[in-house]
Amino acid sequence: RGPKGGVALSRSPENITLMEITKTLDGDDIFSKCLVGIGLCDQVSQCFMHEQASQIKAQYIDMFEKTTIRDLI
């Protein structure tokens, strides 16, 4: 914790990605869920937006893996 609350990082901000934070807070399967909210949506059982959402999801995953806390401060 910081002097006025908050948190202290155990690693340097440039070594912590948004993907790590998101998976820690929301679970490892957060990016495997359907973006439309239908539930099961994969290559076998696809929702009506699967093709379009897959492209968007891939862009989000890429951004979350490349962006660090340092990039945001």
Side-chain angles (χ1 to χ4, degrees):
R1 295 192 148 266
K4 295 183 180 182
V7 296
L9 301 174
S10 62
R11 298 188 339 246
S12 300
E14 59 270 4
N15 294 324
I16 302 171
T17 66
L18 287 182
M19 182 63 80
E20 291 178 85
I21 295 167
T22 302
K23 285 185 172 184
T24 299
L25 296 175
D26 296 320
D28 287 335
D29 65 341
I30 187 67
F31 287 104
S32 63
K33 296 178 183 175
C34 178
L35 288 180
V36 181
I38 304 240
L40 179 62
C41 179
D42 56 25
Q43 294 298 337
V44 176
S45 178
Q46 298 181 1
C47 77
F48 67 96
M49 289 288 296
H50 184 78
E51 291 301 318
Q52 295 84 353
S54 293
Q55 295 170 13
I56 294 167
K57 188 187 295 187
Q59 291 173 347
Y60 269 101
I61 290 171
D62 185 56
M63 180 190 67
F64 275 56
E65 288 175 340
K66 291 179 179 175
T67 305
T68 66
I69 292 177
R70 172 62 69 203
D71 297 327
L72 301 175
I73 55 175

